[in-house]
Amino acid sequence: MRPWEDLRRSGKIGKTPELPETLGFYDLSAVRREQRDLPADPSLTRFICAELTRGYFLEHNEAKYTERRERVYTCMRIPKELEKLMIFGFFLCADAFLYIFTLLPLRVLLALLRLFTLPCCGFSGSRLLQPAQVCDMLKGLILVLCFSMMHYVDYSMMYHLIRGQSVIKLYIIYNMLEVADRLISSFGQDILDALYWTATEPKERKRDSIGVIPHFVMAVSYVFIHSILIMVQASTLNVAFNSHNKSLLTIMMSNNFVEIKGSVFKKFEKNNLFQMSNSDIKERFTSYVLLLIVCLRNMEQFSWNPDHLWALLPDVFMVVASEVVVDVIKHAFITKFNDIPADVYSEYRASLAFDLVSSRQTNAYTDYSDSVARRMGFIPLPLAVLLIRVVMSSVKVQGALSYTCVFLFYLGLVTLKVLNSIVLLGKSCVYVKRANMEDKLFEKPSTSSSSSTKSPSKTDPSRSKHIKTNKRLLSQFSETPSFFCLTKTKQPPETELPEPSLSNEGEPIEASELKHKPPKNDLLEIDRFTICGNRID
């Protein structure tokens, strides 16, 4: 009886083969040598034969190879999931941007009408205007003042001044402008929030601020400086488009790929990736508006010749394609190196949808455009001032027919804004319902530390009844979007106090030790200008 036949019949050879296997064949001479206890003679021929015929079993490390395959599948899913988030975020930014041109002027007119008719109708109530109307009037006044100030800035002189610089100097200037844009945006949103709160703060409280007028002056100065900064950015991009050898445009596009080096080799958590995704949405939308400004300026210089537009489209396509490719590569490798699943982008989309749904409630505590500004870092006021300035200087409006066309164009913008808002609101309700985030819309604020530690099971039965009713309304709205908004008051989610950690002996750890641990915030509490502990351990 041959020894390997017993092993084959017993079934042990499939699990732990004791005989040397060479590509499906068993080495009989090796078996005889093991039986005779004869040592194998070392020779070059036997080594080469062993290298050519030796086999291995991947199923012995099944978990490792399965994990590698799942990483490949995750990288293949990243472009689709990322673009879903980018498209949704793009339309959110477009909705906030169109609000400045369409609904904000109408809201300002309604506030002025209320202010002028108040003596005739009689004063009733503690406020002349509602807080939202005060904020709308402040936004409209800032927009008008900054637009008037931008008339004293010569765009053509700035363009020729930038065009006279060398390529390397322009590349450095463009990088400095990108850094300055991020820094000034983070401080500018705080300035605008401080102005809105100072102007709408209840009168019975003791004020500890410097007053509305200084805050208003700071807000106007910020919007004007930021508008000039974006104008210089647009002029640099215009110079890159009009350069003969396109060297500056190539260098600026390669700057996007340098961003990959500074991102993929860092440690990222889910909150950090959420901030980066919001930043990429804002940058992509801003680049589209800058490309629109460049096209308008070039078409004006060539007397609106459509042939020049077809000459610009390849360069525009290259810039847009480089942005998309860089974002896909960056997010694919970040998720790969940090073991983040592709489904996390659905959570990001649900968090952005939550902001939109909560801002449509009756007693929401913030405007949607302000929420987008905090979450994505996109502040529409400076960009709107620059776009109005460029359009007014590029398009000449003369005669009754021209004004009729402008009015029809405004009606088209209003229609686009309304349709975009309806579709976004319907999709947002679907995303919120799919993520099971309805309860967070109706949670009560934590008035004290004791109330914040209560469990959800000890809620008021009447409140539970209201939550169920609003859930039903939310599900109905997600199926058939309408013009009606949610009627429940949007309140910030409750934050539970962290329990003191215990050591091995049962004693609490000192507060100094807990202080250095990075906080694990919820996605709804993460703003664009918040550092989430992104560091390499």
Side-chain angles (χ1 to χ4, degrees), residues 199-211:
T200 60
E201 191 176 3
K203 302 295 183 181
E204 60 270 9
R205 296 185 180 181
K206 182 180 178 180
R207 292 196 173 186
D208 53 354
S209 61
I210 59 177

Side-chain angles (χ1 to χ4, degrees), residues 185-312:
S185 297
S186 63
F187 191 64
Q189 185 57 41
D190 294 338
I191 292 177
L192 294 176
D193 287 340
L195 172 64
Y196 300 152
W197 173 240
T198 305
T200 60
E201 191 176 3
K203 302 295 183 181
E204 60 270 9
R205 296 185 180 181
K206 182 180 178 180
R207 292 196 173 186
D208 53 354
S209 61
I210 59 177
V212 179
I213 295 180
H215 280 286
F216 181 75
V217 172
M218 287 191 296
V220 172
S221 303
Y222 153 70
V223 174
F224 179 66
I225 294 173
H226 200 179
S227 301
I228 293 179
L229 190 68
I230 301 176
M231 178 181 285
V232 177
Q233 238 178 335
S235 302
T236 308
L237 188 61
N238 197 4
V239 170
F241 269 79
N242 295 329
S243 59
H244 297 288
N245 53 1
K246 306 295 183 191
S247 58
L248 179 59
L249 184 62
T250 305
I251 293 175
M252 291 170 60
M253 289 172 58
S254 65
N255 188 33
N256 294 331
F257 290 90
V258 177
E259 186 180 355
I260 298 177
K261 178 183 177 182
S263 301
V264 298
F265 299 111
K266 292 182 180 179
K267 181 180 179 181
F268 275 84
E269 296 179 357
K270 188 170 67 171
N271 294 340
N272 305 121
L273 187 59
F274 183 46
Q275 286 184 322
M276 174 172 286
S277 302
N278 292 332
S279 178
D280 292 338
I281 293 171
K282 178 253 181 183
E283 289 178 2
R284 187 176 293 189
F285 183 83
T286 305
S287 64
Y288 291 163
V289 177
L290 291 180
L291 290 174
L292 176 62
I293 293 174
V294 169
C295 292
L296 288 175
R297 295 296 300 176
N298 281 274
M299 292 297 292
E300 179 201 2
Q301 296 298 324
F302 288 89
S303 301
W304 301 95
N305 187 5
D307 296 334
H308 185 68
L309 179 62
W310 292 109
L312 284 176

Side-chain angles (χ1 to χ4, degrees), residues 90-105 285 368-369 378 380 384 387 409-410 412-421 424:
F90 173 83
F91 283 106
L92 292 180
C93 292
D95 190 67
F97 192 60
L98 289 175
Y99 172 81
I100 302 295
F101 303 100
T102 56
L103 299 186
L104 181 62
F285 183 83
Y368 172 65
S369 59
F378 173 68
L387 187 59
F409 180 73
Y410 173 75
L413 286 180
V414 173
T415 306
L416 180 63
K417 167 68 174 65
V418 172
L419 292 177
N420 188 29
S421 300
L424 281 178

Side-chain angles (χ1 to χ4, degrees), residues 430-478:
V430 173
Y431 295 149
V432 170
K433 182 181 178 182
R434 190 179 300 169
N436 297 323
M437 299 173 65
E438 302 100 318
D439 294 338
K440 294 183 179 180
L441 287 169
F442 316 116
E443 287 181 353
K444 291 184 178 180
S446 56
T447 56
S448 62
S449 60
S450 60
S451 61
S452 63
T453 57
K454 292 181 180 179
S455 60
S457 60
K458 298 180 180 180
T459 54
D460 189 15
S462 60
R463 177 175 175 270
S464 302
K465 187 175 181 181
H466 287 298
I467 290 177
K468 292 180 180 179
T469 304
N470 285 297
K471 281 184 180 180
R472 194 180 306 112
L473 292 175
L474 184 62
S475 61
Q476 293 175 359
F477 188 87
S478 62

